[in-house]
Amino acid sequence: MATPPGAAGGNFEAPPPPPMQPPGTDMTGICFRDQLWLNTYPLDRNLVFDYFALSPLYDWTCNNEQLRMRSIHPLDLSQLSKMTGMEYMLSEVMEPHLFVIRKQKRDSAEKVTPMLAYYILDGSIYQAPQLCNVFAARVGRALYYILKAFTTAASKLEKIGYVDTENESETVEPKGGKEAIDFKEVKRVDHILASLQRKLPPAPLPPPFPDGFVPPSTAEVEKDPENQQIAEPQPSAVDPIIDQGPAKRMKF
């Protein structure tokens, strides 16, 4: 029976495991918690990074992991400032409930670019969503409720002026459609419009007429006093703002 290559001498070695891949960018749907570790060690600023390194959110290719392999504290800023690449920093601490860890890319000792943020809340590790995703979710939710409100308002307003087709089908001769008006809905819409009108500022007063200017409607009434009673109820056809052209103004 043929033996596999490399096993004849009893020195068969398994292939090395594949290198750890960095975590994805969007892992907001993952929550990690190790209750056994929390029952064994205290969760403070000295051990919080070791606890964070157990989660799938941890990037094993970061500079902090290199410091851990050299038995140096992974959050030692004096050592991290001498390196370049991906690293983690502890930005906010509220022991023992909240820890905020920021993932950033270091280009030099003074230049860093924030990438992602993670937070540990009462022992559970989460990835904080990005600001653009938060804005997109809030805008999408607002648009959903706005469209829902317009749909509800349209369905309510359709009842006003509704034609009763059932009565038309019972009659032999065609008759004009009867509109069933819901006066409760009419009052409700009028109440909404009145409340909106009260919230708006009052309309500004129209500008006064120039000195010596006489509206044509007033002049016609003075010339014909017999038709004064008929002319009084009619509104003026001249807009004091729009129809005051150059020809109607006094020349000085």
Side-chain angles (χ1 to χ4, degrees):
M1 182 176 178
T3 58
N11 295 327
F12 176 75
E13 296 181 357
M20 297 292 296
Q21 299 295 329
T25 303
D26 188 8
M27 302 185 71
T28 53
I30 296 179
C31 172
F32 177 81
R33 184 181 181 89
D34 191 344
Q35 192 62 41
L36 180 60
W37 192 97
L38 295 174
N39 295 337
T40 307
Y41 303 99
L43 190 60
D44 54 13
R45 63 176 66 240
N46 295 323
L47 299 178
V48 66
F49 192 84
D50 295 335
Y51 180 62
F52 176 73
L54 301 176
S55 68
L57 305 175
Y58 180 67
D59 188 358
W60 290 84
T61 61
C62 63
N63 297 336
N64 308 84
E65 184 64 22
Q66 299 182 20
L67 296 181
R68 294 179 66 191
M69 296 173 62
R70 292 158 50 187
S71 300
I72 303 176
H73 196 278
L75 298 177
D76 190 355
L77 185 58
S78 61
Q79 298 293 332
L80 290 174
S81 59
K82 301 176 183 179
M83 308 171 70
T84 57
M86 291 294 177
E87 65 181 22
Y88 293 96
M89 288 295 299
L90 190 63
S91 59
E92 300 289 340
V93 176
M94 293 178 61
E95 293 182 348
H97 302 289
L98 179 63
F99 300 87
V100 180
I101 298 176
R102 183 176 67 247
K103 183 179 182 180
Q104 58 189 13
K105 181 180 179 181
R106 181 175 294 275
D107 297 327
S108 62
E110 298 179 355
K111 183 179 180 181
V112 293
T113 303
M115 305 294 293
L116 297 171
Y118 307 89
Y119 61 95
I120 304 174
L121 181 61
D122 292 332
S124 300
I125 305 177
Y126 307 89
Q127 176 183 340
Q130 298 185 3
L131 190 59
C132 59
N133 296 336
V134 175
F135 284 157
R138 296 293 176 87
V139 171
R141 183 178 300 179
L143 290 177
Y144 168 76
Y145 285 112
I146 290 174
L147 293 177
K148 186 177 180 180
F150 275 108
T151 304
T152 305
S155 63
K156 296 290 185 180
L157 294 176
E158 284 178 357
K159 297 180 180 180
I160 304 175
Y162 176 72
V163 179
D164 191 3
T165 57
E166 296 180 357
N167 297 333
E168 293 181 357
S169 61
E170 294 177 357
T171 57
V172 179
E173 297 179 357
K175 297 181 179 181
K178 299 180 180 180
E179 296 182 355
I181 301 177
D182 191 352
F183 291 99
K184 293 183 179 180
E185 294 295 334
V186 174
K187 292 181 180 180
R188 179 173 175 271
V189 174
D190 291 343
H191 177 70
I192 294 174
L193 295 177
S195 62
L196 292 176
Q197 187 177 7
R198 286 194 298 267
K199 293 180 181 180
L200 295 175
L205 297 176
F209 290 104
D211 297 337
F213 176 76
V214 179
S217 58
T218 307
E220 293 175 359
V221 172
E222 292 178 355
K223 292 179 181 178
D224 193 2
E226 297 179 357
N227 299 331
Q228 184 175 1
Q229 297 179 353
I230 303 175
E232 285 180 356
Q234 297 178 356
S236 175
V238 179
D239 193 311
I241 300 178
I242 301 176
D243 295 335
Q244 291 184 17
K248 298 181 181 180
R249 302 192 180 199
M250 294 295 296
K251 297 181 180 180
F252 296 94

